[in-house]
Amino acid sequence: MRGLRRWWDDTAGGLPAPFWYLWSGLLVNRAGAFAVLFLSLYLTDARGASESLAGAVVGAYGAGGAVGVLLGGVLADRWGRRATLLAAHLGAAGLMTALAFSRQLGVIAVLAALVGVLHSMPSPAFVAAIVDVVPESRRSRAFNLQFWAFNLGMAVASLLAGVLAEASFLALFLVDAAATLAAAVIIAVKVPETLPRHRPAAPAAVRRPGLATALTDRTFLVFVALTFVLAVLTMQTSTIMPLAMRADGLGPSAYGVVVALGGTLIVLGQLFVPRLIEGYRKATVLSVSTGLMALGFGALALADDLPVYLGAAVVWTIGSMLAAPPNAQINAELAPPELRARYQSVFYLTFPAASFVAPALGGLSLQHLGERHWLVVGGLGVVAAVGHLFAGPARERRVATRHALRPQRPEAVSGSGRR
């Protein structure tokens, strides 16, 4: 018992109460996030759309997300983290309900784009709030637990969604809306505003419009570009892989098992990752992890039955597990405190952008290249893995310089989440 207690203290000890309420809201939200996982199958099976048209509609979701993540970053720095989270969750619940009862493909595409906006708005606010309330020395633990909660919720969602999709697509959308509303309630009742009320004046170097600063930061943008490739790989599981599995004669329940396997592996193993990668350079860890993801998705070129899909899922899931803590740490380290949410928004732009690119181009690629599509995906991953090795030293110099210039003072964290 002492050993277990010591392990838990090392993994999650010392994190403030606001973090755990944010963590709980994220977990509830993701546990009910059914609809986007099966949107491409819903469009092709229930609405008669072609693979290319389905990819375009799902791509509209990603395009909306690109707007939403930037809007969320700006609002989180102006309105506050809590206000942005509440507005996004309440709006998404309403739009998801409307999407459940829509029948025309044009209306579905518009609603998908709007849902994409509101689904992406919380990302920079969530992470900025975590950075606000968690001391720097404990942020690796917090980010690891955040990734763990996300995937614990996804594992639950995937298992339930496979059953719901075969029984009723309507239920799929309505349960998603209910889970989003439940997350909003947790945030409204338990999460305080974490945006500091009295912030120090920003240095001259960051008094330009915040997004302009982030979008002209070369070191940061190289990191964002490499993360975009990783996001494109990750998005294959929710956009193109369902179509590939259907072409191999596998139904929604089989797809649910593959996605649930990845979530289960993360739930069982993610808490051990910080010790596994401790002592290694972040660039090295990211290179290895991206290489594993490239190998896993590339192996789908040989997949014809469920066991091969499951084996490939093990490989790419291990890669994503290793990537999560250093990816989040680098993002937090490169962002100036005065522009925390805006930098987060540019970073998280990679995910809705990938949500657009992966289905829009992936649908065409799968239709015309067939199984060779997965060789292209694997090749992109190899390029990103090499890129991390070359980009790592510049990131390390930036962080070292910032630490040297930062005033040495303890970081206070109160129970209310305000500094």
Side-chain angles (χ1 to χ4, degrees), residues 18-19 22 69 72-78 80-82 84-85 121-135 139 142-143 146 191-196 199 328 331-332 335-345 347-348 411 417 419:
F19 166 79
L22 289 164
V69 76
V74 173
L75 292 179
D77 274 342
R78 292 183 178 178
R81 324 311 194 194
R82 181 176 181 272
T84 302
L85 290 171
M121 279 177 60
S123 296
F126 261 123
V127 178
I130 290 172
V131 178
D132 288 341
V133 302
V134 177
R139 285 175 192 162
F143 290 137
Q146 177 200 11
V191 176
E193 180 53 65
T194 67
L195 181 66
R199 288 180 287 178
N331 183 30
E338 299 83 6
L339 303 175
R340 185 166 286 159
R342 287 175 171 87
Y343 264 66
Q344 294 293 338
S345 71
F347 172 79
Y348 275 98
E411 184 170 1
R419 293 190 297 174

Side-chain angles (χ1 to χ4, degrees), residues 27-389:
L27 177 61
V28 171
N29 191 330
R30 298 316 305 172
F34 304 126
V36 175
L37 286 174
F38 284 86
L39 185 56
S40 59
L41 290 179
Y42 167 71
L43 292 167
T44 54
D45 292 354
R47 296 290 162 248
S50 66
E51 291 182 352
S52 297
L53 181 57
V57 174
V58 177
Y61 172 88
V67 175
V69 76
L70 294 176
L71 179 62
V74 173
L75 292 179
D77 274 342
R78 292 183 178 178
W79 282 5
R81 324 311 194 194
R82 181 176 181 272
T84 302
L85 290 171
L86 283 175
H89 282 78
L90 292 173
L95 286 175
M96 190 61 70
T97 302
L99 191 57
F101 295 100
S102 299
R103 296 293 179 265
Q104 297 181 347
L105 287 174
V107 174
I108 291 173
V110 172
L111 288 174
L114 293 175
V115 170
V117 172
L118 293 174
H119 273 184
S120 295
M121 279 177 60
S123 296
F126 261 123
V127 178
I130 290 172
V131 178
D132 288 341
V133 302
V134 177
E136 185 174 356
S137 61
R138 295 169 186 162
R139 285 175 192 162
S140 178
R141 304 178 192 177
F143 290 137
N144 198 58
L145 287 164
Q146 177 200 11
F147 186 70
W148 184 55
F150 183 91
N151 285 278
L152 176 60
M154 286 291 290
V156 174
S158 300
L159 287 174
L160 296 178
V163 176
L164 283 173
E166 292 184 344
S168 169
F169 279 114
L170 177 63
L172 199 70
F173 288 102
L174 292 179
V175 172
D176 190 316
T180 304
L181 184 60
V185 171
I186 293 173
I187 293 167
V189 173
K190 290 293 186 180
V191 176
E193 180 53 65
T194 67
L195 181 66
R197 294 185 180 277
H198 303 289
R199 288 180 287 178
V206 296
R207 283 178 186 163
R208 293 175 290 161
L211 287 178
T213 304
L215 292 172
T216 54
D217 186 333
R218 294 182 181 180
T219 302
F220 176 67
L221 289 179
V222 169
F223 173 64
V224 168
L226 293 171
T227 304
F228 171 73
V229 177
L230 185 146
V232 169
L233 267 64
T234 302
M235 290 296 172
Q236 300 299 309
T237 59
S238 60
T239 57
I240 303 304
M241 192 178 72
L243 302 177
M245 293 184 72
R246 188 184 63 177
D248 287 330
L250 301 170
S253 59
Y255 168 66
V257 170
V258 173
V259 177
L261 172 64
T264 302
L265 289 174
I266 292 171
V267 169
L268 296 176
Q270 188 66 47
L271 296 182
F272 299 94
V273 167
R275 286 192 174 187
L276 182 63
I277 64 177
E278 186 177 2
Y280 292 95
R281 293 174 58 220
K282 296 183 183 72
T284 301
V285 174
L286 285 176
S287 179
V288 171
S289 63
T290 307
L292 287 172
M293 294 183 69
L295 177 62
F297 284 109
L300 294 186
L302 306 175
D304 291 316
D305 51 24
L306 184 57
V308 179
Y309 278 97
L310 292 173
V314 171
V315 176
W316 77 59
T317 300
I318 292 173
S320 67
M321 289 167 63
L322 296 175
N327 220 33
Q329 282 181 278
I330 292 170
N331 183 30
E333 289 170 348
L334 294 178
E338 299 83 6
L339 303 175
R340 185 166 286 159
R342 287 175 171 87
Y343 264 66
Q344 294 293 338
S345 71
V346 174
F347 172 79
Y348 275 98
L349 182 62
T350 60
F351 300 101
S355 295
F356 173 76
V357 171
L361 297 184
L364 290 173
S365 176
L366 184 66
Q367 185 172 335
H368 294 289
L369 297 179
E371 293 179 343
R372 289 175 293 174
H373 163 79
W374 300 111
L375 297 179
V376 174
V377 173
L380 288 173
V382 171
V383 171
V386 174
H388 274 297
L389 293 178

